[in-house]
Amino acid sequence: MTATALFCGDIAFDVALRVPHHPDADQKTHAFENLVSAGGVAANSAVACARQGVATALLAVVGDDVLGAYATEFLAAKGVDVMGVTTTPGMTAVSVCTLADDGEKRLVYTSSVSQYPPPERLRDADLDGVDWIHTSCLHPGAAAVLAERARATSIRMSIDLEPAALAHGTEALAPALHGAEVVFLNEQATESIGDLRTFSARHRLKSVVCTRGLRGAALMTSSGRIAVAPPPAERIVDTTGAGDCLAGVYIARSLSGADPLAALRAAVASATSACGHLGAQGGYPDRKTTDELVAEGWPEGLGPKSL
């Protein structure tokens, strides 16, 4: 495997629809904009990373249906190495999101065989040439297998710690979290954890990135904490996948040699821009666009400069 960044986790078949309003029972409405794509936390983050010009691979499972084949081909077309995506009998996850003009969003998601690779697959995965692994903790036991391999080979690892994963309890998550380079938390997960410094020290985390919705993100390390506000946005259309975009861009910029502050500013600018488009991946910027967003959002000499 020649990839630098390896993303491990879920794939879904995503359908995003913009509608004038959500229909009542036994009624229908017509969408005036739609987007069909591959989705899922791991897949989204992988695309965001690949768009930044970093060699990126995905380790995942899809069902043996037409949706799994479509999702795999879609990701390959986005520049993601899908050699690590395998097929298993069953259905690929489907996500349907409807977004009304008033901003109300409704999401329906099916669980399936494409949620997370099994532990035995992770024990045999080829990690040659991988410099960074990103995964979730929705399946703590499987994630722990990958984390143990990363620690043994000194590969940097980051975790997207979703609120659903916290339901497993911190003891179950500990083997996967221990010594992580970065743990990404959304607002709900941050609130559930509470004392981030104690949490970080307990698991010996090197850094924590807390996404803050339309307020940007905050980075916490042993050196301190810094918040990065988002640049001005022309419009907010859909926030789906913004956190995945942030994680993917942060990883890409870190692998490209950026310091944590520069990586976070690029990630926040990219995620904010993505919210101006329908769907999770519809507005993920490439590297040149991200550089322009950073320059326009934070002119030289303005804003925080160090941790």
Side-chain angles (χ1 to χ4, degrees), residues 169-204:
T170 55
E171 289 301 320
L173 300 177
L177 292 174
H178 181 77
E181 185 77 19
V182 190
V183 169
F184 294 94
L185 305 171
N186 65 16
E187 291 181 288
Q188 185 180 347
T190 299
E191 183 178 353
S192 297
I193 290 172
D195 187 348
L196 285 183
R197 292 210 171 276
T198 298
F199 177 81
S200 181
R202 178 181 181 185
H203 298 289
R204 298 187 179 182

PDB file of all heavy atoms in Angstrom, residues 169-204:
ATOM      1  N   GLY A 169     -18.832   3.284  27.016  1.00  0.00           N
ATOM      2  CA  GLY A 169     -18.111   3.526  28.260  1.00  0.00           C
ATOM      3  C   GLY A 169     -16.632   3.746  28.023  1.00  0.00           C
ATOM      4  O   GLY A 169     -16.056   3.159  27.103  1.00  0.00           O
ATOM      5  N   THR A 170     -16.035   4.591  28.836  1.00  0.00           N
ATOM      6  CA  THR A 170     -14.634   4.948  28.620  1.00  0.00           C
ATOM      7  C   THR A 170     -13.679   3.776  28.807  1.00  0.00           C
ATOM      8  O   THR A 170     -12.609   3.733  28.194  1.00  0.00           O
ATOM      9  CB  THR A 170     -14.226   6.096  29.560  1.00  0.00           C
ATOM     10  OG1 THR A 170     -14.514   5.714  30.920  1.00  0.00           O
ATOM     11  CG2 THR A 170     -14.993   7.372  29.220  1.00  0.00           C
ATOM     12  N   GLU A 171     -14.035   2.814  29.654  1.00  0.00           N
ATOM     13  CA  GLU A 171     -13.158   1.658  29.846  1.00  0.00           C
ATOM     14  C   GLU A 171     -13.057   0.838  28.559  1.00  0.00           C
ATOM     15  O   GLU A 171     -11.977   0.365  28.194  1.00  0.00           O
ATOM     16  CB  GLU A 171     -13.688   0.785  30.989  1.00  0.00           C
ATOM     17  CG  GLU A 171     -13.523   1.408  32.369  1.00  0.00           C
ATOM     18  CD  GLU A 171     -12.070   1.719  32.695  1.00  0.00           C
ATOM     19  OE1 GLU A 171     -11.195   0.891  32.359  1.00  0.00           O
ATOM     20  OE2 GLU A 171     -11.811   2.781  33.285  1.00  0.00           O
ATOM     21  N   ALA A 172     -14.187   0.677  27.868  1.00  0.00           N
ATOM     22  CA  ALA A 172     -14.177  -0.076  26.619  1.00  0.00           C
ATOM     23  C   ALA A 172     -13.418   0.663  25.528  1.00  0.00           C
ATOM     24  O   ALA A 172     -12.824   0.043  24.643  1.00  0.00           O
ATOM     25  CB  ALA A 172     -15.615  -0.348  26.164  1.00  0.00           C
ATOM     26  N   LEU A 173     -13.400   1.990  25.602  1.00  0.00           N
ATOM     27  CA  LEU A 173     -12.743   2.796  24.577  1.00  0.00           C
ATOM     28  C   LEU A 173     -11.249   2.953  24.830  1.00  0.00           C
ATOM     29  O   LEU A 173     -10.499   3.278  23.907  1.00  0.00           O
ATOM     30  CB  LEU A 173     -13.381   4.187  24.525  1.00  0.00           C
ATOM     31  CG  LEU A 173     -14.870   4.252  24.199  1.00  0.00           C
ATOM     32  CD1 LEU A 173     -15.347   5.698  24.259  1.00  0.00           C
ATOM     33  CD2 LEU A 173     -15.163   3.658  22.837  1.00  0.00           C
ATOM     34  N   ALA A 174     -10.813   2.736  26.056  1.00  0.00           N
ATOM     35  CA  ALA A 174      -9.427   3.028  26.449  1.00  0.00           C
ATOM     36  C   ALA A 174      -8.377   2.375  25.554  1.00  0.00           C
ATOM     37  O   ALA A 174      -7.410   3.030  25.158  1.00  0.00           O
ATOM     38  CB  ALA A 174      -9.209   2.637  27.906  1.00  0.00           C
ATOM     39  N   PRO A 175      -8.488   1.080  25.191  1.00  0.00           N
ATOM     40  CA  PRO A 175      -7.441   0.468  24.353  1.00  0.00           C
ATOM     41  C   PRO A 175      -7.290   1.132  22.992  1.00  0.00           C
ATOM     42  O   PRO A 175      -6.196   1.148  22.426  1.00  0.00           O
ATOM     43  CB  PRO A 175      -7.914  -0.981  24.210  1.00  0.00           C
ATOM     44  CG  PRO A 175      -8.779  -1.223  25.401  1.00  0.00           C
ATOM     45  CD  PRO A 175      -9.481   0.078  25.626  1.00  0.00           C
ATOM     46  N   ALA A 176      -8.367   1.691  22.446  1.00  0.00           N
ATOM     47  CA  ALA A 176      -8.291   2.357  21.151  1.00  0.00           C
ATOM     48  C   ALA A 176      -7.779   3.785  21.288  1.00  0.00           C
ATOM     49  O   ALA A 176      -7.044   4.279  20.432  1.00  0.00           O
ATOM     50  CB  ALA A 176      -9.663   2.356  20.478  1.00  0.00           C
ATOM     51  N   LEU A 177      -8.133   4.449  22.375  1.00  0.00           N
ATOM     52  CA  LEU A 177      -7.796   5.864  22.543  1.00  0.00           C
ATOM     53  C   LEU A 177      -6.353   6.093  22.998  1.00  0.00           C
ATOM     54  O   LEU A 177      -5.772   7.144  22.707  1.00  0.00           O
ATOM     55  CB  LEU A 177      -8.734   6.508  23.565  1.00  0.00           C
ATOM     56  CG  LEU A 177     -10.203   6.665  23.162  1.00  0.00           C
ATOM     57  CD1 LEU A 177     -11.005   7.182  24.349  1.00  0.00           C
ATOM     58  CD2 LEU A 177     -10.346   7.593  21.965  1.00  0.00           C
ATOM     59  N   HIS A 178      -5.778   5.153  23.698  1.00  0.00           N
ATOM     60  CA  HIS A 178      -4.493   5.360  24.371  1.00  0.00           C
ATOM     61  C   HIS A 178      -3.414   5.911  23.426  1.00  0.00           C
ATOM     62  O   HIS A 178      -3.077   5.308  22.410  1.00  0.00           O
ATOM     63  CB  HIS A 178      -4.000   4.052  24.984  1.00  0.00           C
ATOM     64  CG  HIS A 178      -2.703   4.195  25.713  1.00  0.00           C
ATOM     65  ND1 HIS A 178      -2.610   4.759  26.974  1.00  0.00           N
ATOM     66  CD2 HIS A 178      -1.435   3.862  25.367  1.00  0.00           C
ATOM     67  CE1 HIS A 178      -1.357   4.762  27.364  1.00  0.00           C
ATOM     68  NE2 HIS A 178      -0.617   4.223  26.403  1.00  0.00           N
ATOM     69  N   GLY A 179      -2.894   7.076  23.772  1.00  0.00           N
ATOM     70  CA  GLY A 179      -1.786   7.673  23.048  1.00  0.00           C
ATOM     71  C   GLY A 179      -2.123   8.242  21.691  1.00  0.00           C
ATOM     72  O   GLY A 179      -1.214   8.513  20.894  1.00  0.00           O
ATOM     73  N   ALA A 180      -3.408   8.448  21.396  1.00  0.00           N
ATOM     74  CA  ALA A 180      -3.801   8.939  20.077  1.00  0.00           C
ATOM     75  C   ALA A 180      -3.192  10.307  19.785  1.00  0.00           C
ATOM     76  O   ALA A 180      -3.046  11.149  20.680  1.00  0.00           O
ATOM     77  CB  ALA A 180      -5.318   9.019  19.968  1.00  0.00           C
ATOM     78  N   GLU A 181      -2.838  10.521  18.539  1.00  0.00           N
ATOM     79  CA  GLU A 181      -2.298  11.811  18.101  1.00  0.00           C
ATOM     80  C   GLU A 181      -3.350  12.903  18.232  1.00  0.00           C
ATOM     81  O   GLU A 181      -3.074  14.002  18.713  1.00  0.00           O
ATOM     82  CB  GLU A 181      -1.838  11.719  16.648  1.00  0.00           C
ATOM     83  CG  GLU A 181      -1.151  12.960  16.128  1.00  0.00           C
ATOM     84  CD  GLU A 181       0.286  13.089  16.619  1.00  0.00           C
ATOM     85  OE1 GLU A 181       0.868  12.071  17.047  1.00  0.00           O
ATOM     86  OE2 GLU A 181       0.810  14.215  16.578  1.00  0.00           O
ATOM     87  N   VAL A 182      -4.567  12.609  17.808  1.00  0.00           N
ATOM     88  CA  VAL A 182      -5.681  13.558  17.885  1.00  0.00           C
ATOM     89  C   VAL A 182      -6.972  12.790  18.125  1.00  0.00           C
ATOM     90  O   VAL A 182      -7.184  11.725  17.531  1.00  0.00           O
ATOM     91  CB  VAL A 182      -5.862  14.369  16.576  1.00  0.00           C
ATOM     92  CG1 VAL A 182      -6.867  15.506  16.787  1.00  0.00           C
ATOM     93  CG2 VAL A 182      -4.557  14.899  16.046  1.00  0.00           C
ATOM     94  N   VAL A 183      -7.828  13.333  18.972  1.00  0.00           N
ATOM     95  CA  VAL A 183      -9.191  12.842  19.101  1.00  0.00           C
ATOM     96  C   VAL A 183     -10.114  13.985  18.692  1.00  0.00           C
ATOM     97  O   VAL A 183     -10.006  15.093  19.220  1.00  0.00           O
ATOM     98  CB  VAL A 183      -9.507  12.369  20.530  1.00  0.00           C
ATOM     99  CG1 VAL A 183     -11.004  12.124  20.698  1.00  0.00           C
ATOM    100  CG2 VAL A 183      -8.743  11.086  20.853  1.00  0.00           C
ATOM    101  N   PHE A 184     -10.995  13.721  17.735  1.00  0.00           N
ATOM    102  CA  PHE A 184     -11.948  14.720  17.264  1.00  0.00           C
ATOM    103  C   PHE A 184     -13.285  14.519  17.979  1.00  0.00           C
ATOM    104  O   PHE A 184     -13.821  13.401  18.001  1.00  0.00           O
ATOM    105  CB  PHE A 184     -12.152  14.600  15.747  1.00  0.00           C
ATOM    106  CG  PHE A 184     -10.923  14.928  14.936  1.00  0.00           C
ATOM    107  CD1 PHE A 184     -10.054  13.915  14.536  1.00  0.00           C
ATOM    108  CD2 PHE A 184     -10.640  16.231  14.572  1.00  0.00           C
ATOM    109  CE1 PHE A 184      -8.924  14.207  13.785  1.00  0.00           C
ATOM    110  CE2 PHE A 184      -9.511  16.533  13.824  1.00  0.00           C
ATOM    111  CZ  PHE A 184      -8.658  15.523  13.426  1.00  0.00           C
ATOM    112  N   LEU A 185     -13.808  15.601  18.550  1.00  0.00           N
ATOM    113  CA  LEU A 185     -15.073  15.558  19.270  1.00  0.00           C
ATOM    114  C   LEU A 185     -16.033  16.602  18.713  1.00  0.00           C
ATOM    115  O   LEU A 185     -15.621  17.738  18.457  1.00  0.00           O
ATOM    116  CB  LEU A 185     -14.863  15.858  20.761  1.00  0.00           C
ATOM    117  CG  LEU A 185     -13.860  15.007  21.543  1.00  0.00           C
ATOM    118  CD1 LEU A 185     -13.640  15.611  22.921  1.00  0.00           C
ATOM    119  CD2 LEU A 185     -14.363  13.579  21.673  1.00  0.00           C
ATOM    120  N   ASN A 186     -17.305  16.240  18.549  1.00  0.00           N
ATOM    121  CA  ASN A 186     -18.283  17.267  18.217  1.00  0.00           C
ATOM    122  C   ASN A 186     -18.827  17.862  19.507  1.00  0.00           C
ATOM    123  O   ASN A 186     -18.414  17.486  20.616  1.00  0.00           O
ATOM    124  CB  ASN A 186     -19.387  16.713  17.321  1.00  0.00           C
ATOM    125  CG  ASN A 186     -20.244  15.650  17.997  1.00  0.00           C
ATOM    126  OD1 ASN A 186     -20.235  15.488  19.222  1.00  0.00           O
ATOM    127  ND2 ASN A 186     -20.994  14.914  17.198  1.00  0.00           N
ATOM    128  N   GLU A 187     -19.736  18.802  19.394  1.00  0.00           N
ATOM    129  CA  GLU A 187     -20.219  19.514  20.583  1.00  0.00           C
ATOM    130  C   GLU A 187     -20.906  18.577  21.570  1.00  0.00           C
ATOM    131  O   GLU A 187     -20.724  18.705  22.789  1.00  0.00           O
ATOM    132  CB  GLU A 187     -21.169  20.631  20.152  1.00  0.00           C
ATOM    133  CG  GLU A 187     -20.481  21.765  19.417  1.00  0.00           C
ATOM    134  CD  GLU A 187     -21.430  22.873  19.015  1.00  0.00           C
ATOM    135  OE1 GLU A 187     -22.233  22.642  18.092  1.00  0.00           O
ATOM    136  OE2 GLU A 187     -21.385  23.964  19.619  1.00  0.00           O
ATOM    137  N   GLN A 188     -21.686  17.628  21.074  1.00  0.00           N
ATOM    138  CA  GLN A 188     -22.391  16.712  21.966  1.00  0.00           C
ATOM    139  C   GLN A 188     -21.413  15.810  22.713  1.00  0.00           C
ATOM    140  O   GLN A 188     -21.557  15.586  23.923  1.00  0.00           O
ATOM    141  CB  GLN A 188     -23.384  15.867  21.166  1.00  0.00           C
ATOM    142  CG  GLN A 188     -24.245  14.957  22.030  1.00  0.00           C
ATOM    143  CD  GLN A 188     -25.213  14.125  21.200  1.00  0.00           C
ATOM    144  OE1 GLN A 188     -25.417  14.376  20.015  1.00  0.00           O
ATOM    145  NE2 GLN A 188     -25.800  13.113  21.812  1.00  0.00           N
ATOM    146  N   ALA A 189     -20.406  15.305  22.005  1.00  0.00           N
ATOM    147  CA  ALA A 189     -19.416  14.444  22.652  1.00  0.00           C
ATOM    148  C   ALA A 189     -18.598  15.223  23.672  1.00  0.00           C
ATOM    149  O   ALA A 189     -18.289  14.718  24.758  1.00  0.00           O
ATOM    150  CB  ALA A 189     -18.497  13.825  21.601  1.00  0.00           C
ATOM    151  N   THR A 190     -18.248  16.457  23.344  1.00  0.00           N
ATOM    152  CA  THR A 190     -17.496  17.299  24.273  1.00  0.00           C
ATOM    153  C   THR A 190     -18.281  17.513  25.559  1.00  0.00           C
ATOM    154  O   THR A 190     -17.740  17.425  26.676  1.00  0.00           O
ATOM    155  CB  THR A 190     -17.186  18.664  23.627  1.00  0.00           C
ATOM    156  OG1 THR A 190     -16.391  18.448  22.454  1.00  0.00           O
ATOM    157  CG2 THR A 190     -16.424  19.554  24.590  1.00  0.00           C
ATOM    158  N   GLU A 191     -19.577  17.774  25.406  1.00  0.00           N
ATOM    159  CA  GLU A 191     -20.425  17.985  26.579  1.00  0.00           C
ATOM    160  C   GLU A 191     -20.543  16.710  27.408  1.00  0.00           C
ATOM    161  O   GLU A 191     -20.536  16.747  28.648  1.00  0.00           O
ATOM    162  CB  GLU A 191     -21.811  18.458  26.137  1.00  0.00           C
ATOM    163  CG  GLU A 191     -22.751  18.784  27.286  1.00  0.00           C
ATOM    164  CD  GLU A 191     -24.096  19.305  26.819  1.00  0.00           C
ATOM    165  OE1 GLU A 191     -24.260  19.542  25.601  1.00  0.00           O
ATOM    166  OE2 GLU A 191     -24.986  19.474  27.673  1.00  0.00           O
ATOM    167  N   SER A 192     -20.645  15.574  26.741  1.00  0.00           N
ATOM    168  CA  SER A 192     -20.782  14.304  27.461  1.00  0.00           C
ATOM    169  C   SER A 192     -19.532  13.965  28.267  1.00  0.00           C
ATOM    170  O   SER A 192     -19.613  13.439  29.375  1.00  0.00           O
ATOM    171  CB  SER A 192     -21.060  13.166  26.461  1.00  0.00           C
ATOM    172  OG  SER A 192     -22.285  13.368  25.795  1.00  0.00           O
ATOM    173  N   ILE A 193     -18.366  14.283  27.717  1.00  0.00           N
ATOM    174  CA  ILE A 193     -17.108  13.986  28.405  1.00  0.00           C
ATOM    175  C   ILE A 193     -16.903  14.902  29.594  1.00  0.00           C
ATOM    176  O   ILE A 193     -16.457  14.483  30.664  1.00  0.00           O
ATOM    177  CB  ILE A 193     -15.925  14.090  27.423  1.00  0.00           C
ATOM    178  CG1 ILE A 193     -15.989  12.932  26.426  1.00  0.00           C
ATOM    179  CG2 ILE A 193     -14.588  14.073  28.159  1.00  0.00           C
ATOM    180  CD1 ILE A 193     -15.010  13.031  25.300  1.00  0.00           C
ATOM    181  N   GLY A 194     -17.210  16.175  29.420  1.00  0.00           N
ATOM    182  CA  GLY A 194     -17.075  17.120  30.534  1.00  0.00           C
ATOM    183  C   GLY A 194     -15.658  17.631  30.688  1.00  0.00           C
ATOM    184  O   GLY A 194     -15.233  18.533  29.971  1.00  0.00           O
ATOM    185  N   ASP A 195     -14.925  17.082  31.615  1.00  0.00           N
ATOM    186  CA  ASP A 195     -13.570  17.538  31.913  1.00  0.00           C
ATOM    187  C   ASP A 195     -12.596  16.983  30.877  1.00  0.00           C
ATOM    188  O   ASP A 195     -12.091  15.869  30.999  1.00  0.00           O
ATOM    189  CB  ASP A 195     -13.171  17.078  33.319  1.00  0.00           C
ATOM    190  CG  ASP A 195     -11.831  17.652  33.765  1.00  0.00           C
ATOM    191  OD1 ASP A 195     -11.106  18.214  32.925  1.00  0.00           O
ATOM    192  OD2 ASP A 195     -11.512  17.526  34.960  1.00  0.00           O
ATOM    193  N   LEU A 196     -12.308  17.782  29.860  1.00  0.00           N
ATOM    194  CA  LEU A 196     -11.461  17.308  28.767  1.00  0.00           C
ATOM    195  C   LEU A 196     -10.015  17.080  29.197  1.00  0.00           C
ATOM    196  O   LEU A 196      -9.348  16.174  28.698  1.00  0.00           O
ATOM    197  CB  LEU A 196     -11.491  18.298  27.605  1.00  0.00           C
ATOM    198  CG  LEU A 196     -12.754  18.317  26.750  1.00  0.00           C
ATOM    199  CD1 LEU A 196     -12.584  19.301  25.601  1.00  0.00           C
ATOM    200  CD2 LEU A 196     -13.067  16.932  26.205  1.00  0.00           C
ATOM    201  N   ARG A 197      -9.508  17.897  30.101  1.00  0.00           N
ATOM    202  CA  ARG A 197      -8.114  17.751  30.530  1.00  0.00           C
ATOM    203  C   ARG A 197      -7.911  16.425  31.256  1.00  0.00           C
ATOM    204  O   ARG A 197      -6.916  15.733  31.042  1.00  0.00           O
ATOM    205  CB  ARG A 197      -7.692  18.927  31.398  1.00  0.00           C
ATOM    206  CG  ARG A 197      -7.611  20.228  30.625  1.00  0.00           C
ATOM    207  CD  ARG A 197      -6.570  21.173  31.204  1.00  0.00           C
ATOM    208  NE  ARG A 197      -6.370  22.321  30.325  1.00  0.00           N
ATOM    209  CZ  ARG A 197      -5.572  22.324  29.276  1.00  0.00           C
ATOM    210  NH1 ARG A 197      -4.896  21.233  28.972  1.00  0.00           N
ATOM    211  NH2 ARG A 197      -5.445  23.395  28.513  1.00  0.00           N
ATOM    212  N   THR A 198      -8.845  16.080  32.120  1.00  0.00           N
ATOM    213  CA  THR A 198      -8.752  14.801  32.822  1.00  0.00           C
ATOM    214  C   THR A 198      -8.874  13.643  31.831  1.00  0.00           C
ATOM    215  O   THR A 198      -8.129  12.660  31.899  1.00  0.00           O
ATOM    216  CB  THR A 198      -9.848  14.701  33.886  1.00  0.00           C
ATOM    217  OG1 THR A 198      -9.663  15.743  34.857  1.00  0.00           O
ATOM    218  CG2 THR A 198      -9.797  13.349  34.598  1.00  0.00           C
ATOM    219  N   PHE A 199      -9.825  13.778  30.919  1.00  0.00           N
ATOM    220  CA  PHE A 199     -10.034  12.750  29.894  1.00  0.00           C
ATOM    221  C   PHE A 199      -8.782  12.572  29.050  1.00  0.00           C
ATOM    222  O   PHE A 199      -8.329  11.456  28.793  1.00  0.00           O
ATOM    223  CB  PHE A 199     -11.219  13.157  29.014  1.00  0.00           C
ATOM    224  CG  PHE A 199     -11.492  12.228  27.867  1.00  0.00           C
ATOM    225  CD1 PHE A 199     -12.192  11.047  28.050  1.00  0.00           C
ATOM    226  CD2 PHE A 199     -11.050  12.550  26.586  1.00  0.00           C
ATOM    227  CE1 PHE A 199     -12.443  10.191  26.976  1.00  0.00           C
ATOM    228  CE2 PHE A 199     -11.298  11.701  25.510  1.00  0.00           C
ATOM    229  CZ  PHE A 199     -11.995  10.525  25.714  1.00  0.00           C
ATOM    230  N   SER A 200      -8.186  13.681  28.624  1.00  0.00           N
ATOM    231  CA  SER A 200      -6.993  13.642  27.785  1.00  0.00           C
ATOM    232  C   SER A 200      -5.811  13.034  28.533  1.00  0.00           C
ATOM    233  O   SER A 200      -5.067  12.209  27.988  1.00  0.00           O
ATOM    234  CB  SER A 200      -6.648  15.055  27.302  1.00  0.00           C
ATOM    235  OG  SER A 200      -5.521  15.047  26.474  1.00  0.00           O
ATOM    236  N   ALA A 201      -5.639  13.441  29.782  1.00  0.00           N
ATOM    237  CA  ALA A 201      -4.521  12.921  30.577  1.00  0.00           C
ATOM    238  C   ALA A 201      -4.681  11.427  30.852  1.00  0.00           C
ATOM    239  O   ALA A 201      -3.704  10.662  30.811  1.00  0.00           O
ATOM    240  CB  ALA A 201      -4.425  13.697  31.884  1.00  0.00           C
ATOM    241  N   ARG A 202      -5.899  11.018  31.110  1.00  0.00           N
ATOM    242  CA  ARG A 202      -6.156   9.612  31.429  1.00  0.00           C
ATOM    243  C   ARG A 202      -5.774   8.705  30.267  1.00  0.00           C
ATOM    244  O   ARG A 202      -5.217   7.617  30.469  1.00  0.00           O
ATOM    245  CB  ARG A 202      -7.632   9.431  31.772  1.00  0.00           C
ATOM    246  CG  ARG A 202      -8.024   7.993  32.080  1.00  0.00           C
ATOM    247  CD  ARG A 202      -9.504   7.885  32.377  1.00  0.00           C
ATOM    248  NE  ARG A 202      -9.886   6.522  32.698  1.00  0.00           N
ATOM    249  CZ  ARG A 202     -11.133   6.135  32.896  1.00  0.00           C
ATOM    250  NH1 ARG A 202     -12.111   7.023  32.808  1.00  0.00           N
ATOM    251  NH2 ARG A 202     -11.414   4.885  33.182  1.00  0.00           N
ATOM    252  N   HIS A 203      -6.065   9.154  29.055  1.00  0.00           N
ATOM    253  CA  HIS A 203      -5.791   8.329  27.878  1.00  0.00           C
ATOM    254  C   HIS A 203      -4.496   8.732  27.172  1.00  0.00           C
ATOM    255  O   HIS A 203      -4.189   8.203  26.104  1.00  0.00           O
ATOM    256  CB  HIS A 203      -6.975   8.419  26.904  1.00  0.00           C
ATOM    257  CG  HIS A 203      -8.262   7.894  27.464  1.00  0.00           C
ATOM    258  ND1 HIS A 203      -8.479   6.552  27.686  1.00  0.00           N
ATOM    259  CD2 HIS A 203      -9.384   8.540  27.877  1.00  0.00           C
ATOM    260  CE1 HIS A 203      -9.687   6.388  28.198  1.00  0.00           C
ATOM    261  NE2 HIS A 203     -10.257   7.564  28.315  1.00  0.00           N
ATOM    262  N   ARG A 204      -3.763   9.662  27.774  1.00  0.00           N
ATOM    263  CA  ARG A 204      -2.483  10.130  27.246  1.00  0.00           C
ATOM    264  C   ARG A 204      -2.607  10.616  25.796  1.00  0.00           C
ATOM    265  O   ARG A 204      -1.780  10.291  24.931  1.00  0.00           O
ATOM    266  CB  ARG A 204      -1.435   9.028  27.363  1.00  0.00           C
ATOM    267  CG  ARG A 204      -1.171   8.630  28.821  1.00  0.00           C
ATOM    268  CD  ARG A 204      -0.010   7.670  28.944  1.00  0.00           C
ATOM    269  NE  ARG A 204       0.234   7.323  30.346  1.00  0.00           N
ATOM    270  CZ  ARG A 204       1.197   6.534  30.766  1.00  0.00           C
ATOM    271  NH1 ARG A 204       2.038   5.998  29.881  1.00  0.00           N
ATOM    272  NH2 ARG A 204       1.353   6.268  32.041  1.00  0.00           N
TER     273      ARG A 204
END
